Each structure stands twice: as structure tokens, then as C-alpha cells.
Amino acid sequence: MSRTAYVNGAYVPTRDALVHINDRGFQFADGVYEGIAVRRCKMVDAGPHLDRLWRSMGELAITPPMGRKALDVVLSEVIRRNRFSDAFLYIQVTRGVAPRDHAFPANDIPATLFVTCKRFDFDKVLQRALAGVTGITQPDNRWGRCDIKSTGLLPNIMAKQSAREAGVFEAVLVDSDGYITEGSSTNIWAVTEDGDIVTRPITDNILGGITRARIKTIAEKLQISIKDAKISVEQAKNAREIFITSATSCTTPITKLDGEKIGDGTVGPVAKRLIDAYFKFTDN
Ligand code: PDD
């Protein structure tokens, strides 16, 4: 079945969905994006994802291509036209089309907006979460504004490719001081040797994950206390549990890092509770 995308005002078959070669997103990665999971035709945490999209555009002084309510209508329409019950929505906004010049165009050009949708298998993600995945550490070579969800993802994709080539699921990025920042496309959490549940503060050059925030709210309800703190690679390897969170991995434990077992090498009790609670939340 051919998929439908939205591009600059029109719903078109995805295979015919094109942007201009002078689009600044294409030439400079001068753009931002969001990825939203859809469970039973309903977007998971749409509000916070759109808040973050607006924040990312604001940080880069990109004029939003439309209002939030209008974008919400477009997103619902893309879901409806693709007839998926469970899906992953991708939204990209770039500064727009202009002859190549590093500085922003002098005139206010319209931003480029497109939305695509692909099938997303929640059951497979749940099965994978319950089995656990493996990871490797990689140097974090990114810039100092990882709080912006920019389409400039070369360091992330290089790290993910290294993970793929090593036969593991996620690359765990490590800063120059030996502390874990986040995954190539996920936030990282640990249950330390002492039993503290920690995740790096979002002020510390990482993306403020929407799933990270949701897991914090869920944990609070379950009276599980979470601390914002840096995790060194050594602490991570001695941790009882490590897990990742993102819109597409939900909550997924890493049971082996750089070939070393985390805890006893199986999915731990904290992750199990959070996986269960997060999937229940997406089902409602
Ligand atoms: N990635 N950190 C990074 C670097 C990410 O790219 C992502 C999301 C996250 C988790 O954010 P959230 O919980 O809001 O999905 C953390 C998405 C899924 C992607 O790039 O496709």
C-alpha cells in the first residue's frame, strides 16, 4: 500500500513527496524534527512533543510554518490517511528554501514542513524490552546544543552504525570526562550499586526526552524515586540495571554493555515495573 505524507500544504503519496535542492535542511541540516509514537490511532504525549518542537524552532529562530492546532489537524489526518493503528509519525521543519548562504536569508522565507508515517510494532518493542538488549560505549562527538532536536545527526548515526557493526542495539555516548550523556537516539538510566535510580540532568547537554519525562511522572506515581545525576561508565558497568527510554524504545533494558553483564545480565525489577507501567500508559 502506498503511504501518504504531508509536504508544505499537500497530502501526497510518500514516493512523490519531494523538497527543493536549495532547502536549507538538505544543505545545512538547518532544521528540527520530532518523532511521535501512535498507539491505537492516538498520539503518545503529543502535547509535550509539540512543545519541544516549538522550543527547538524558537532556539533556531525558525518561524513556525503553521499554528499548533493546525499542525495537530495535519498529524491526525496523516494518521487517518495511512490507516495504521500503531505508527511512528515523523515531523520535520526546516528554515526553508533559499540560495546557498551560511547566514539566515535576509527575507522571512516560509519554513518547510513535512510529516511522514510508518508502521510501528509496539508488541515487538515490548518483547524486545522484556528480553533486554546490548550496547557499546562510544565517544560523544556532538555539539554543545543537544537540547535542540536538530536534524544534524551525523555523530548520532555514526555511533549507531558502530553499534550495528558490533552486533549490539544501542550506542551509549560518553563525554570527555567519562560520563554517559545519552544513547545515540535514547536517554539512559541506571539503577546504581546503591540502589539509586539516576538519569543525567537535561541541563547537561542532552535532549530532554519526552519518554524520560513521562517515565519520571509514572515513577512518582509508583513511589519510585528518581535522581538527576551523571553516571560514569564505571558506575554503569557496576550498576544493578541500565535502561534506555525513547518514543520508539519506550523503556528497554541494556543487559550487557561493552560485552560486560549489567547486574546478573537479565532484565531487572525496576525496569520491569517501568516497562509494565509505560505500556499500560500507552494503552490508555
Ligand atoms: N530519538 N536522546 C536522543 C539523542 C534522541 O534522538 C531521542 C529520540 C531521545 C529520546 O527522546 P524521546 O523520549 O522524546 O523520544 C533522547 C527519536 C526517537 C529519533 O531520533 O527517532
Side-chain angles (χ1 to χ4, degrees):
M1 194 187 108
S2 105
R3 304 281 165 241
T4 299
Y6 173 91
V7 189
N8 288 332
Y11 297 94
V12 290
T14 302
R15 61 171 175 270
D16 301 328
L18 302 171
V19 292
H20 198 283
I21 56 165
N22 275 343
D23 194 285
R24 291 179 59 93
F26 182 51
Q27 294 187 355
F28 296 114
D30 186 2
V32 297
Y33 74 103
E34 274 302 320
I36 307 180
V38 176
R39 177 66 163 160
R40 306 211 167 107
C41 301
K42 214 179 110 217
M43 286 178 268
V44 179
D45 273 330
H49 276 286
L50 294 189
D51 286 347
R52 188 173 64 185
L53 180 64
W54 252 257
R55 178 183 181 276
S56 295
M57 289 189 287
E59 291 300 306
L60 298 182
I62 293 176
T63 307
M66 60 174 64
R68 270 186 69 140
K69 279 201 179 125
L71 181 56
D72 213 40
V73 171
V74 168
L75 299 180
S76 301
E77 187 59 16
V78 170
I79 298 168
R80 192 188 69 75
R81 288 185 186 229
N82 283 286
R83 283 186 256 127
F84 290 133
S85 153
D86 290 354
F88 178 71
L89 273 182
Y90 177 80
I91 310 160
Q92 183 169 319
V93 180
T94 77
R95 195 176 307 280
V97 176
R100 189 173 187 280
D101 182 8
H102 282 67
F104 298 172
N107 300 324
D108 200 16
I109 53 170
T112 297
L113 165 66
F114 73 81
V115 181
T116 60
C117 184
K118 65 179 183 182
R119 190 185 299 283
F120 180 64
D121 191 341
F122 266 92
D123 294 330
K124 200 168 137 195
V125 175
L126 176 59
Q127 290 319 312
R128 192 174 60 205
L130 294 173
V133 297
T134 50
I136 51 165
T137 53
Q138 287 286 295
D140 190 340
N141 294 323
R142 300 174 304 163
W143 68 327
R145 290 304 309 271
C146 296
D147 57 304
I148 300 172
K149 202 160 168 59
S150 145
T151 56
L153 288 173
L154 263 181
N156 305 62
I157 64 170
M158 299 294 280
K160 185 71 107 187
Q161 181 59 21
S162 299
R164 192 63 52 84
E165 286 170 15
V168 303
F169 183 74
E170 180 58 308
V172 173
L173 305 180
V174 180
D175 68 19
S176 53
D177 298 325
Y179 288 93
I180 290 170
T181 51
E182 55 189 329
S184 68
S185 60
T186 58
N187 290 116
I188 307 264
W189 304 63
V191 183
T192 66
E193 254 180 322
D194 304 330
D196 291 334
I197 304 166
V198 294
T199 189
R200 188 171 170 115
I202 56 170
T203 47
D204 226 339
N205 201 30
I206 60 165
L207 183 73
I210 304 305
T211 321
R212 177 187 180 282
R214 174 57 60 191
I215 288 288
K216 279 194 160 191
T217 309
I218 287 174
E220 208 172 297
K221 279 196 192 133
L222 295 175
Q223 293 184 325
I224 296 174
S225 103
I226 312 268
K227 287 187 186 165
D228 273 1
K230 287 189 190 180
I231 310 156
S232 69
V233 173
E234 197 191 338
Q235 276 175 312
K237 288 186 178 167
N238 291 321
R240 296 181 193 173
E241 302 180 36
I242 303 178
F243 49 93
I244 57 178
T245 56
S246 72
T248 49
S249 67
C250 300
T251 302
T252 298
I254 292 184
T255 51
K256 237 186 204 183
L257 185 62
D258 292 337
E260 294 175 38
K261 273 187 193 171
I262 303 303
D264 65 3
T266 65
V267 173
V270 174
K272 266 190 200 144
R273 281 184 80 192
L274 293 174
I275 292 166
D276 180 60
Y278 187 78
F279 279 85
K280 278 197 181 121
F281 156 74
T282 63
D283 279 353
N284 288 324

